[in-house]
Amino acid sequence: MKRRKIAENVYWMGAIDWDRRLFDSLIPLPDGTSYNAYLIEGNEKTALLDTVDPSMKDELMAQLQTVKNVDYVIAHHAEQDHSGSIPAVLACFPQAKVITSSKGKGMLVDLLKVQPSSIMAVEDGDVISLGGKTLEFAYTPWVHWPETMVTYLREDRILFSCDFFGSHLATTDLFVADRARVYEAAKRYYAEIMMPFRKIIQKNLEKVKAYQIDHIAPSHGPIYDDPAFIIDAYKDWVSDVPKNIALIPYISMHGSTERMVNYLVGALAERGVTVCQFDLSVTDLGKLAIALVDAATIIIGTPTVHVGAHPGIFYAAYLTNILRPKLRYASIIGSYGWSSKAIEQISSLIPNLKVEVLDPVLSRGDPGKEIFEKLDELAAAVSEKHMKLNSH
Ligand code: FEO
C-alpha cells in the first residue's frame, strides 16, 4: 500500500497485518492489527514517526523509496512493533537522528543495538521545527512502557499517540468509519495492554487535554477525526467507579459447577445485576479482559482437580491479577468430591485485587437445595453491594 495523505505534507505510512492472530504470544487479535508510521515533510526537514513491526518492514521501506530524505525518526515507544524497523531505516538514511525520550534512548540501544550517537533524547515539552511544521513532545509514561511519549503537531493539531488510544484492527479505513467496531477493538486494546496503568493514564488524559486536537493518530488502528470519541471512552474506562456488572469465569468438568453457575447467573439477573458468564474452556480471554474494564464483582467457578482448582482457573486468575481491574468484590463457587483447597489457592493468586471477599459456596458433589439457597444469599449480597457503588 502507498503512503496516504492525512493533511498537507502529513502522511500515513505503515502496514496492515490482516492475519496476525496473537500478540506477545499471548493476546488474541481477532481483527488483525496495523503498524502505523507517519511522515511529516516540513520546508526544511522531514520526520518519520515510528516504524513498523520487522515482519513487515519491506512495506515501509518501499514507501520510503518515494521520500528524498529522512532527517528524524521519532520513536515514541521502544517496543519492536514500532521500533523494530528503525535499524533498516537508519541503514537507508544514515544521517537521520532518532528522537526519543530519555528512557527510550537506553531501551533502543539495548533492544535494537541502535548506536547511541544516532539518538537524540528529548525532554518533556521539547519542541523541534521542521520548517512550517512544529513538533512538540510530551512524556506520557506507562502507555504502556515507562518510556512512552507522544508528539503534537501544532500547525495541523494532530496528536500522534503511538499505542495510547490504539486499537488492534486491520482496516483500509484511514479514519474511523465504523464507530462500534473501533470502540470494541480499542476497548480490547485498553483492557489487554493499558488497564494495569489506569491511574497513570488518568494523569496522561489530563495532560493531553491541554492540546487543541483535531485528530488523534495512533500507531495501531484507524485515525480518530473526532478525538472526543476515544478520549471520552478512555475517561470512562479509567474512572474509579465500576459498573453494576458481575463476571463469572468458570470451568466445569462433570456439570456440577456449571449448574451452580447457571443458577447464580439467574439469581443475580433477577436482582438487577448484569452478568457476564465465561466458560474458560472455550472463551476468548480478550472478551474476559474487556468485561473486566467495567465490572464490580468477579465470581470464579471451579471444579476440583487433585484437591485444587482446575489449571485453567489458575491461568485466568493470574491474568486477572496482573491486569489490575477496578473490581470491588470477589467470591468463589465450585464443587469437589472429597476435599478442596481451591479457595486458598485462588485467593493467593489475586493479591493485586483490592477486593472484599464475599462468602464462597462450595458443593460436595452435585449441588442441592442447600447450595442453591447459599447461591441466592451470595446473589443478594452482590446486589446489595452494587446498589451502593456510586456512594463510595
Ligand atoms: Fe504497539 Fe507497545 O507496542
Side-chain angles (χ1 to χ4, degrees):
M1 188 172 283
K2 292 178 185 163
R3 62 167 149 158
R4 300 173 74 184
K5 186 174 172 181
I6 303 172
E8 205 52 41
N9 295 324
V10 183
Y11 300 91
W12 172 90
M13 288 192 161
I16 302 171
D17 201 342
W18 296 95
D19 301 318
R20 188 161 182 181
R21 286 292 171 269
L22 210 53
F23 201 89
D24 293 342
S25 300
L26 170 69
I27 296 164
L29 305 182
D31 301 309
T33 191
S34 63
Y35 316 109
N36 304 333
Y38 297 95
L39 189 81
I40 304 175
E41 294 178 327
N43 299 329
E44 295 149 23
K45 308 265 190 194
T46 296
L48 176 69
L49 282 66
D50 295 312
T51 66
V52 298
D53 190 88
S55 62
M56 303 198 89
K57 80 170 182 310
D58 291 351
E59 291 216 25
L60 178 66
M61 298 317 291
Q63 292 159 350
L64 285 170
Q65 279 182 0
T66 64
V67 176
K68 257 192 252 150
N69 193 32
V70 171
D71 299 282
Y72 301 116
V73 180
I74 316 294
H76 293 118
H77 177 26
E79 192 166 11
Q80 290 86 338
D81 54 326
H82 310 295
S83 68
S85 298
I86 289 176
V89 173
L90 291 180
C92 196
F93 302 100
Q95 301 308 316
K97 284 278 180 215
V98 178
I99 293 183
T100 191
S101 64
S102 45
K103 281 202 172 95
K105 180 171 180 175
M107 295 170 93
L108 292 176
V109 171
D110 291 340
L111 295 174
L112 297 163
K113 310 304 174 207
V114 177
Q115 291 301 313
S117 57
S118 295
I119 304 176
M120 194 171 109
V122 288
E123 295 302 322
D124 187 30
D126 278 359
V127 171
I128 62 164
S129 174
L130 306 177
K133 298 283 187 190
T134 312
L135 307 183
E136 182 174 339
F137 306 109
Y139 279 17
T140 48
W142 295 107
V143 286
H144 59 121
W145 281 11
E147 86 297 5
T148 46
M149 66 174 203
V150 299
T151 297
Y152 179 65
L153 173 56
R154 282 183 185 167
E155 289 77 5
D156 298 284
R157 312 212 305 191
I158 302 173
L159 185 77
F160 296 93
S161 61
C162 202
D163 279 348
F164 196 16
F165 304 121
S167 61
H168 281 311
L169 183 60
T171 172
T172 53
D173 296 333
L174 191 54
F175 299 95
V176 173
D178 182 340
R179 280 190 173 221
R181 191 158 181 244
V182 175
Y183 184 93
E184 169 91 2
K187 190 170 186 181
R188 174 186 282 267
Y189 191 85
Y190 167 82
E192 294 171 339
I193 294 167
M194 301 288 174
M195 187 156 58
F197 313 108
R198 187 172 66 84
K199 286 286 181 188
I200 299 173
I201 293 173
Q202 289 175 352
K203 293 190 186 127
N204 286 332
L205 284 174
E206 284 302 309
K207 191 164 186 174
V208 301
K209 249 173 59 181
Y211 296 108
Q212 297 284 320
I213 302 171
D214 289 345
H215 290 90
I216 292 178
S219 292
H220 299 287
I223 297 167
Y224 301 93
D225 50 8
D226 175 11
F229 164 60
I230 191 66
I231 290 174
D232 289 348
Y234 258 72
K235 276 188 199 156
D236 180 35
W237 300 336
V238 303
S239 75
D240 291 326
V241 183
K243 296 187 167 67
N244 175 23
I245 299 171
L247 306 190
I248 311 188
Y250 75 99
I251 290 180
S252 190
M253 286 157 61
H254 298 290
S256 301
T257 299
E258 187 169 40
R259 273 192 284 286
M260 294 173 70
V261 168
N262 289 340
Y263 186 87
L264 182 59
V265 169
L268 285 163
E270 278 167 23
R271 290 168 174 80
V273 177
T274 299
V275 191
C276 301
Q277 177 177 342
F278 296 99
D279 177 350
L280 293 172
S281 63
V282 293
T283 198
D284 162 5
L285 283 174
K287 288 277 187 193
L288 175 65
I290 292 172
L292 282 167
V293 172
D294 300 317
T297 297
I298 188 166
I299 298 166
I300 296 174
T302 183
T304 300
V305 178
H306 298 307
V307 303
H310 190 285
I313 294 293
F314 280 75
Y315 187 97
Y318 179 79
L319 194 65
T320 301
N321 184 60
I322 60 173
L323 291 177
R324 296 175 179 265
K326 56 190 166 196
L327 291 163
R328 297 251 176 97
Y329 308 101
S331 191
I332 297 163
I333 64 172
S335 56
Y336 65 98
W338 51 96
S339 175
S340 175
K341 294 196 186 318
I343 293 171
E344 300 89 312
Q345 288 175 334
I346 295 170
S347 302
S348 73
L349 288 169
I350 51 173
N352 291 342
L353 306 185
K354 305 300 174 212
V355 288
E356 179 183 339
V357 178
L358 306 176
D359 285 344
V361 182
L362 289 190
S363 171
R364 185 170 185 135
D366 205 33
K369 185 167 169 284
E370 207 176 296
I371 292 296
F372 292 128
E373 281 170 6
K374 285 187 178 169
L375 291 171
D376 273 321
E377 286 168 21
L378 176 58
V382 170
S383 168
E384 195 180 316
K385 298 285 185 189
H386 283 204
M387 300 284 185
K388 297 175 192 155
L389 283 173
N390 285 309
S391 58
H392 280 70

